[in-house]
Amino acid sequence: MMKKFFPALILLSIVLFGFATKDRMRSHPNESFSTGEVLKYKVHYGPITAAEAVIDISPEIHTVNDRACYKATVYGRTNSSFDLFIRVRDTWQSYIDTAAIVPQRSFRNIEEGNYRKRETVHFDHFANKAHVEKKKKSKKVEKQTYKITDNVQDIVSGFYYLRTLDFNKMRVGEKVYVQGFFDEEHFNMEVEFKGREVVSTKAGNIRAIKLVPRMPENKMFKGENSITVYLSDDQNKIPVLIQAEMFVGSVKVNLYDYKNLKNELMLARK
């Protein structure tokens, strides 16, 4: 009797365990952003206003992998006068899980001079895999699968994730670690909290949280501390200013307009 009962008990345990862990994604709090948010930026290359960028969240919730998602898109384009040097028309998109604040799908369409790249990444957070589809000039689609860690971020969703963190509980010098997947590679991004400052933007003077992400060695940025990101020091934590030291010169991304924020933007008093 015991011999017959024991295998059935094991089978029952497996089934129950499977149901219990079927949806094992985290639930991450978010009081900083929601649908319909629009942020607009001027991109300065030295003294020249070279480009504009728009970051928005679709007014509708989308469903990807049977999960509710924010559709966040970053558009970047050079001005007509700067097109003479290099024409940029870039689109970065991420479908961000509303509960877990991780990407379910990401998309890039890069047009920079003669360079072209069109890529879609499908994230499977249950199997810890990223399925990458790259469209070639021949219109042939190349597919590859990569292992990823739990709660991995893409570039766009990573910024939104940082906005959900409570910096009031952090000490100056404290670091946040974000697991990321970009260009078919996994990386561990280290972001240091550097305190608070009042920064001048085209949208006004804004009290800001200062963050410095540690950059891996690359051909674009000068040193591992070459980028400084300022988030509004309020519940929105929107990016209000980004400064970068690149091998080709200094770049500044400056907020000039915004709408449909989830909370009131707190401007600094004069």
Side-chain angles (χ1 to χ4, degrees), residues 11-22:
L11 181 60
L12 179 62
S13 300
I14 292 172
V15 171
L16 291 176
F17 182 78
F19 278 118
T21 59
K22 184 178 180 181

Side-chain angles (χ1 to χ4, degrees), residues 210-265:
K210 184 179 181 180
L211 303 176
V212 176
R214 182 180 180 184
M215 299 300 295
E217 186 175 344
N218 60 80
K219 297 179 180 179
M220 292 180 62
F221 299 101
K222 293 177 65 175
E224 60 182 25
N225 298 322
S226 55
I227 297 180
T228 303
V229 178
Y230 294 91
L231 305 180
S232 61
D233 189 11
D234 54 29
Q235 207 162 4
N236 301 295
K237 295 188 276 290
I238 62 172
V240 296
L241 184 67
I242 301 173
Q243 297 174 325
E245 294 299 323
M246 307 177 72
F247 286 109
V248 294
S250 299
V251 174
K252 182 184 291 186
V253 182
N254 195 323
L255 177 75
Y256 77 88
D257 195 14
Y258 55 89
K259 64 180 181 180
N260 301 330
L261 301 185
K262 188 169 184 177
N263 311 283
E264 182 183 358
L265 180 66

Side-chain angles (χ1 to χ4, degrees), residues 34 197 206 208:
S34 189
E197 295 181 13
I206 300 174

Side-chain angles (χ1 to χ4, degrees), residues 33-38 56-64 67-73 75 93-98 260:
F33 58 85
S34 189
T35 54
E37 180 186 87
V38 180
D56 68 33
I57 302 177
S58 170
E60 298 84 25
I61 293 292
H62 295 252
T63 301
V64 180
R67 302 277 298 189
C69 293
Y70 299 113
K71 180 184 176 183
T73 308
Y75 308 93
Q93 198 168 81
S94 182
Y95 289 84
I96 304 171
D97 193 292
T98 59
N260 301 330

Side-chain angles (χ1 to χ4, degrees), residues 30-169:
N30 167 35
E31 297 297 331
S32 299
F33 58 85
S34 189
T35 54
E37 180 186 87
V38 180
L39 308 172
K40 296 183 179 181
Y41 300 86
K42 298 287 186 181
V43 181
H44 305 282
Y45 177 65
I48 302 170
T49 302
E52 292 199 15
V54 177
I55 307 175
D56 68 33
I57 302 177
S58 170
E60 298 84 25
I61 293 292
H62 295 252
T63 301
V64 180
N65 296 336
D66 295 322
R67 302 277 298 189
C69 293
Y70 299 113
K71 180 184 176 183
T73 308
V74 180
Y75 308 93
R77 57 180 296 151
T78 46
N79 297 333
S80 56
S81 58
F82 207 80
D83 282 346
L84 299 173
F85 299 96
I86 181 170
R87 183 181 184 275
V88 174
R89 301 290 187 272
D90 288 354
T91 301
W92 301 59
Q93 198 168 81
S94 182
Y95 289 84
I96 304 171
D97 193 292
T98 59
I101 315 297
V102 293
Q104 292 290 349
R105 181 190 301 155
S106 66
F107 169 78
R108 282 193 294 160
N109 186 34
I110 308 299
E111 297 182 12
E112 299 177 357
N114 294 323
Y115 178 78
R116 298 288 185 272
K117 183 163 189 170
R118 190 177 180 90
E119 176 189 82
T120 302
V121 182
H122 304 273
F123 291 91
D124 184 341
H125 293 281
F126 298 102
N128 290 108
K129 292 181 179 179
H131 306 286
V132 180
E133 298 179 0
K134 291 186 288 186
K135 192 171 183 179
K136 301 294 186 178
K137 289 183 179 180
S138 62
K139 296 185 178 180
K140 181 180 178 181
V141 177
E142 179 183 290
K143 298 182 180 182
Q144 289 181 290
T145 297
Y146 300 86
K147 290 183 178 180
I148 56 174
T149 59
D150 287 341
N151 303 316
V152 75
Q153 303 287 346
D154 61 23
I155 296 296
V156 176
S157 69
F159 264 96
Y160 284 94
Y161 169 71
L162 287 176
R163 291 176 58 184
T164 67
L165 302 182
D166 187 356
F167 294 96
N168 292 323
K169 296 181 178 179

